[in-house]
């Protein structure tokens, strides 16, 4: 998975395919619906949020540092949850931004950002923003379709 | 002409030039909603990064909010409706 250090290819801009993103997210939503039907709204909401980031990361695949970092975090949290029984919404950076250069702030927001050099950070940020926007659009259109008046 | 910057700091296999950084910053700026507002073409890197931070935070907040709404909607509808809705949104 790890790209050899020092490779700086400005990767061609092919993002995750939208149908794949939708498919993964739908599958995750169905699973949440089936298994968490009796949970609280908050618990389901956390699972859906986790599913959103998971779909994003899986669709982007291992070619991006942010998606690799997200996938590691998701797997790590899942393993920890089984042991400790604690529930946390994985995949979402929770630390509030403190003072520091804007680049540091960005490093805290973009998964895997702390290990990146400046150029890598800029590339990964652009890709992350693109994928986040797609995810938001997808979720919004689902809400619009399922919601009242969406038959 | 290249300045007398010590090349050892940039002695990776690919040279990171200022133009590359400016290009990446421009591409990033193009993704941000503030891009349309800031018509000046010489925006500082710090501003672009700050705008990117704000944009990512607002997107994550949107995911948060939409997750909550989806959770409520899932509770009220059955899964076949949700699947139909997603397929419908795919076809748009």
């Amino acid at each position: 998975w790890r790209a050899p250090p020092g490779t700086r290819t400005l990767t061609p801009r092919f993002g995750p395919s939208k149908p794949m993103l939708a498919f993964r997210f739908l599958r995750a939503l169905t699973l949440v619906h089936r298994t968490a039907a009796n949970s609280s709204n908050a618990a389901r909401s956390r699972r859906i949020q986790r599913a959103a980031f998971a779909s994003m990361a899986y669709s982007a695949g291992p070619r991006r540092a942010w998606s690799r970092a997200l996938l590691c975090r998701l797997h790590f949290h899942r393993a920890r949850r089984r042991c400790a029984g604690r529930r946390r919404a994985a995949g979402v950076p929770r630390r509030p931004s403190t003072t520091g250069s804007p680049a540091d702030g960005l490093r805290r927001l973009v998964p895997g950002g702390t290990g990146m050099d400046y150029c890598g950070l800029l590339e990964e940020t652009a890709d992350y923003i693109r994928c986040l926007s797609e995810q938001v659009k997808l979720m919004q259109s689902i809400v619009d379709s399922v919601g009242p008046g969406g038959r | 002409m290249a300045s007398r910057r010590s090349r050892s700091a940039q002695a990776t296999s690919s040279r990171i030039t200022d133009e590359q950084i400016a290009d990446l910053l421009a591409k990033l700026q193009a993704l941000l909603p503030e891009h349309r507002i800031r018509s000046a073409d010489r925006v500082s890197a710090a501003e672009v990064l700050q705008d990117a931070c704000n944009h990512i935070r607002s997107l994550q907040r949107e995911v948060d909010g939409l997750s909550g709404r989806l959770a409520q909607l899932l509770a009220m509808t059955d899964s076949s409706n949700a699947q139909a809705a997603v397929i419908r949104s795919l076809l748009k």
Side-chain angles (χ1 to χ4, degrees):
Chain A
W1 262 12
R2 297 218 175 275
T7 48
R8 170 84 52 241
T9 52
L10 295 175
T11 50
R13 218 181 314 170
F14 52 93
S17 76
K18 291 179 204 177
M20 276 311 298
L21 187 69
F23 168 71
R24 286 188 192 282
F25 189 55
L26 167 63
R27 201 169 54 176
L29 272 187
T30 313
L31 191 65
V32 171
H33 180 79
R34 215 185 306 140
T35 60
N38 295 323
S39 313
S40 66
N41 255 5
R44 263 204 309 278
S45 171
R46 272 197 304 276
R47 285 192 59 175
I48 291 177
Q49 187 191 48
R50 208 158 46 226
F53 281 98
S55 309
M56 268 175 61
Y58 277 113
S59 300
R63 61 179 177 84
R64 278 292 171 193
W66 68 262
S67 53
R68 289 198 297 269
L70 256 189
L71 291 173
C72 283
R73 204 187 296 178
L74 288 165
H75 286 287
F76 172 69
H77 274 271
R78 194 183 307 156
R80 238 181 53 170
R81 265 191 323 125
R82 284 208 199 104
C83 301
R86 277 176 57 200
R87 289 218 217 114
R88 267 190 79 183
V92 183
R94 290 261 170 145
R95 258 168 297 162
S97 67
T98 54
T99 55
S101 71
D104 289 340
L106 208 48
R107 281 183 210 281
R108 280 192 289 268
L109 282 172
V110 176
T114 48
M116 291 177 199
D117 62 2
Y118 191 63
C119 271
L121 181 65
L122 294 180
E123 283 186 36
E124 293 290 319
T125 302
D127 197 65
Y128 186 55
I129 287 180
R130 253 179 256 126
C131 293
L132 256 183
S133 306
E134 283 307 321
Q135 183 66 42
V136 165
K137 273 189 223 149
L138 171 66
M139 292 172 81
Q140 185 64 61
S141 62
I142 295 177
V143 167
D144 292 340
S145 302
V146 176
R151 285 295 184 98
Chain B
M1 186 59 199
S3 62
R4 291 270 176 163
R5 235 172 294 151
S6 73
R7 288 283 174 170
S8 59
Q10 297 186 351
T12 53
S13 56
S14 59
R15 304 258 178 88
I16 315 296
T17 63
D18 287 343
E19 295 89 72
Q20 269 182 297
I21 292 187
D23 184 53
L24 288 173
L25 277 172
K27 286 197 181 117
L28 182 54
Q29 195 192 355
L31 292 170
L32 306 175
E34 289 87 359
H35 174 68
R36 280 171 249 126
I37 303 171
R38 294 198 212 276
S39 48
D41 47 2
R42 288 303 295 177
V43 185
S44 75
E47 278 178 338
V48 175
L49 294 179
Q50 191 56 57
D51 289 344
C53 285
N54 296 336
H55 191 46
I56 290 182
R57 269 196 284 266
S58 80
L59 284 174
Q60 284 172 345
R61 271 198 304 269
E62 281 193 67
V63 172
D64 229 342
L66 287 168
S67 299
R69 291 192 60 191
L70 275 177
Q72 290 174 331
L73 291 171
L74 273 189
M76 298 190 307
T77 184
D78 59 34
S79 62
S80 61
N81 276 350
Q83 287 168 358
V86 173
I87 293 170
R88 223 179 292 128
S89 62
L90 267 182
L91 295 173
K92 275 190 201 144

